[in-house]
Amino acid sequence: MKSQLQQGHSFIEKDIFSQGSPGRSGIDIPTGGIPSVDPLSILGQDSVRGALEGFPELTEPEVIRHYTRLSQWNYGVDTNLYPLGSCTMKHNPRVNEAVARFPGFANLSPFAPDSSAQGSLRVMSDLAKWLCEITGLDFATLQPAAGAHGEFTGLLMIRAALKQRGNARGKVLLPDSSHGTNPASATLCGYTTQTIKSGPDGKIDLEELGGAMDETVAALMLTNPNTLGIFESQIEEISRIVHEKGGFVYCDGANLNALMGKAKFGDMGVDVCHLNLHKSFSTPHGGGGPGAGPVCVTKELAPFLPTPVVTCNDGKYSLDSDRPQSIGRIHGFTGNFGVLLRAAAYILSMGANGLKEAAEAAVINANYIKARLEKEYHLPYREPCLHEVVLSDKLQNKYDVTTLDIAKGLIDRGFHPPTIYFPLIVKGAMLIEPTETESLETLDEFCEAMIDIAKTAEKDPASLKNAPVTSPRGRLDEATAARNPQLRCTLC
Ligand SMILES: *Cc1c(COP(=O)(O)O)cnc(C)c1O
């Protein structure tokens, strides 16, 4: 049997190689009277492929059903809550998609001269201005294609500025809760990294920082709110310690929906930051599509911005590449323009108050989840959280139930699991980010699923070890799957 119903309309689907039958074909069109020829006689042996062994032969409806069924296995923000911490999987208003498809923008050649690209250049100029307003910094580049790319760009600018002062320095300091891209970007930029231990409250330990900060340190890279969802309330003092020794403060602003409209990095003493437009500013995140990680900087770092920079003189916009101190180009043309358009449309449609309300809703939603789950799950940090909350499996460990079992149990209860085992400083971490676009009903359903799992852990822990049991695939042996991948799966 080719396929069988599993539950209701949820299909189990075999791989395409075990479907169809020799001689079936997707299309059946008349030859149009053109005589058939033997390709071998025209092209010769070298150019003609022999028979393909095991090549699937299927009809059009079989192919359409196959891929439609596979698509129904997909889970995304359009299906249900996707509480992946540090990822901001939120609803992106479709109106911004529509704007990105306006023919005047979508059909403009990237080779168009500035004089015939005034509208697009203005969008970039305005967006850069708005992002500077939101972050409290002075200048921006829109070129970087992702958060990590923005980090790399920002660090290159810091290095160029230090080099001009006479010494590029050799080290970047990072808190132990930092996102993995931070040390990776610093290393790629030629810096060694040194980890700063967090205090028991999950924040940067000022004494540790003071001890590590000296004239060999180029920058402190921190995330605020940090990856535990906690605001670094001593940020001004942190910046002072770094600046006193001539270093720069880099702030990872990938998750700006905790702060936008509420607090500005510039006011906190930050010199450079990146934002993930594909998290906070209306480009879907997680599908592997294009992103944008604009970088905002202080006046001091502006000469080092990547070229070209959009400028405006007498109401005429142009791309300026004549900037001798620039670190150079870091992306083809002007970056991922469609992503920039979505962000500009999002900011305009939300307005300043809308962005502020979004930040408030993101924070309230995360605190609601924290309050509803803090009895059933261990809370490593009791501080009020911002846009995300970290729980751990400590209470469930006594029944031999782990974070992985809880995550898999969520799948059986209709939810995508949160980020698990990150941040690394919390054993068995579950990092939950509900985002501002979820309703109270959805948050309640999620919390009830989590509470049900906590109860199941107590009464019937063995059942969680088998989870998930309702998905097309059960629990994978992840180590073997990574080391010995079977890319042609045979289900059923
Ligand atoms: C997502 C994220 C990044 C990396 O962004 P990419 O676009 O995936 O490169 C960096 N830092 C933090 C805190 C993030 O959440």
Side-chain angles (χ1 to χ4, degrees), residues 85-87 145-149 151 179 181-182 223 227 252 254-255 274 276 278-279 285:
S86 205
C87 285
H149 197 192
E151 292 164 23
H179 193 274
T181 52
N182 290 186
T223 308
T227 57
D252 178 335
N255 309 112
H274 78 265
N276 278 26
H278 50 291
K279 285 179 184 167
H285 176 222

Side-chain angles (χ1 to χ4, degrees), residues 140-154 157 250 273-278 290-296 305-306 327 330-332 334-337 339-340:
T141 173
L142 306 175
Q143 272 187 45
H149 197 192
E151 292 164 23
F152 182 60
T153 305
M157 293 170 70
Y250 184 106
C273 72
H274 78 265
L275 311 177
N276 278 26
L277 300 189
H278 50 291
V295 173
C296 302
L305 284 168
I327 58 164
I330 49 106
H331 195 287
T334 50
N336 287 327
F337 184 65
V339 180
L340 308 179

Side-chain angles (χ1 to χ4, degrees), residues 460-482:
D460 183 15
S463 71
L464 283 170
K465 290 283 168 199
N466 294 326
V469 294
T470 58
S471 55
R473 275 310 219 183
R475 182 87 61 111
L476 298 177
D477 174 347
E478 291 181 354
T480 306

Side-chain angles (χ1 to χ4, degrees), residues 242-483:
V242 175
H243 288 152
E244 206 171 67
K245 296 279 194 275
F248 286 92
V249 179
Y250 184 106
C251 188
D252 178 335
N255 309 112
L256 207 72
N257 41 339
L259 291 187
M260 53 192 189
K262 303 292 286 186
K264 298 183 179 190
F265 291 142
D267 297 341
M268 303 175 198
V270 169
D271 300 290
V272 46
C273 72
H274 78 265
L275 311 177
N276 278 26
L277 300 189
H278 50 291
K279 285 179 184 167
S280 316
F281 293 93
S282 203
T283 283
H285 176 222
V295 173
C296 302
V297 297
T298 55
K299 284 188 192 72
E300 187 190 355
L301 287 168
F304 309 99
L305 284 168
T307 50
V309 171
V310 185
T311 57
C312 182
N313 285 313
D314 292 337
K316 285 212 174 59
Y317 295 90
S318 57
L319 290 172
D320 179 15
S321 293
D322 183 19
R323 298 172 67 91
Q325 290 174 288
S326 164
I327 58 164
R329 180 183 277 290
I330 49 106
H331 195 287
F333 302 108
T334 50
N336 287 327
F337 184 65
V339 180
L340 308 179
L341 266 178
R342 285 179 185 85
Y346 179 69
I347 292 171
L348 273 183
S349 65
M350 295 289 279
N353 280 336
L355 292 179
K356 195 164 129 187
E357 278 169 27
E360 287 167 355
V363 171
I364 289 171
N365 281 358
N367 279 283
Y368 182 75
I369 287 181
K370 174 171 173 276
R372 280 214 61 183
L373 297 182
E374 67 187 348
K375 274 203 243 36
E376 281 81 9
Y377 290 91
H378 172 241
L379 243 187
Y381 302 98
R382 302 216 68 86
E383 309 256 329
C385 62
L386 290 195
H387 64 300
E388 57 194 355
V389 57
V390 64
L391 306 174
S392 94
D393 58 0
K394 197 172 174 182
L395 303 182
Q396 284 70 40
N397 281 171
K398 56 176 176 284
Y399 312 112
D400 198 27
V401 167
T402 65
T403 283
L404 187 68
D405 303 325
I406 297 165
K408 300 297 184 193
L410 271 171
I411 297 174
D412 281 338
R413 287 157 183 83
F415 288 97
H416 193 283
T419 294
I420 57 172
Y421 300 107
F422 176 83
L424 304 176
I425 56 173
V426 175
K427 190 176 166 290
M430 289 175 268
L431 185 62
I432 302 171
E433 181 182 2
T435 82
E436 68 275 17
T437 59
E438 296 303 328
S439 69
L440 181 61
E441 290 80 5
T442 305
L443 298 183
D444 277 334
E445 282 164 17
F446 174 74
C447 290
E448 274 144 32
M450 286 291 285
I451 292 167
D452 183 51
I453 291 169
K455 286 191 183 132
T456 308
E458 217 176 309
K459 291 193 207 116
D460 183 15
S463 71
L464 283 170
K465 290 283 168 199
N466 294 326
V469 294
T470 58
S471 55
R473 275 310 219 183
R475 182 87 61 111
L476 298 177
D477 174 347
E478 291 181 354
T480 306
R483 274 152 198 249

